[in-house]
Amino acid sequence: MATSNPVVRYLESRKNLTGSACGIAGLALSFTGAAGSLWPLIVVALYAAGALIAPPERTPPPPFPNAEEQLDALRSDFVTLRGYLAEIELPEGAAGRLAELDTLVDALLEPGWVSDPEHLHVLARAVRQDIPEAVDTFVRTRWWSRVAPGAVPPERHLERQLAALHEEAGQIAAALQDAEAIRQEAHTRYLEERGKS
């Protein structure tokens, strides 16, 4: 664990440890008599040489959350989104589209399915941005369409948006299905070939 105290950090550094090891070698030389009366200068010089040749400290990369941690946070956000959507009154067509999308996203967020970073990104964008924005825009536009009727009904736009999001999530589901089919086929081949040997 890294400390914030610069003195302690230097004492634990590679430069200090390498320099100290070289300085101890200089002390060993002085005890054998090889250093003579200049032994303090030799110890300091060896410490400095060791500190100079030591490899620099490597800063570790930041601990970003792994796929499972990202998925846990996304599941929590999905629960929050569901709470928001439960309070919104939608027309029957849009409510049906939203229910289909909800079922699909819920299935994709089950543990053990989505681990690809691109798929996680698409789902996170849908849950945290696209779905709430589509519904909120519908609610705001619906209010204005009551005041100024005659435009394209906002329900149509919402249904199209939800259909596009469903198609995007469906592509993830299809990719997962293909991956599982390939995995099953590979396992079948493995078992058949193992039985022949």
Side-chain angles (χ1 to χ4, degrees), residues 38-74:
L38 297 175
W39 71 268
L41 185 62
I42 291 174
V43 169
V44 170
L46 285 174
Y47 174 85
L52 286 173
I53 64 168
E57 293 296 317
R58 184 180 65 81
T59 304
F64 292 119
N66 62 26
E68 191 55 41
E69 292 168 335
Q70 290 177 10
L71 206 50
D72 289 341
L74 188 53

Side-chain angles (χ1 to χ4, degrees), residues 70-85 98 101-110 114 118-136 161-162 164-166 168-169 172:
Q70 290 177 10
L71 206 50
D72 289 341
L74 188 53
R75 281 190 205 105
S76 174
D77 291 344
F78 187 56
V79 169
T80 303
L81 175 64
R82 280 178 155 175
Y84 163 73
L85 294 174
L98 186 60
L101 179 59
D102 179 83
T103 303
L104 181 55
V105 171
D106 187 41
L108 289 171
L109 291 180
E110 285 293 316
V114 175
E118 184 60 35
H119 292 167
L120 274 173
H121 173 71
V122 170
L123 288 173
R125 186 179 59 208
V127 168
R128 294 177 178 145
Q129 179 183 344
D130 295 338
I131 297 172
E133 187 174 330
V135 172
D136 183 58
Q161 291 165 3
L162 294 173
L165 290 169
H166 188 276
E168 194 173 45
I172 295 173

Side-chain angles (χ1 to χ4, degrees), residues 6-28:
V7 174
V8 174
R9 247 192 344 247
Y10 180 76
L11 289 175
E12 295 173 344
S13 72
R14 293 178 185 175
K15 291 192 172 295
N16 182 53
L17 295 175
T18 306
S20 297
C22 291
I24 290 172
L27 283 175

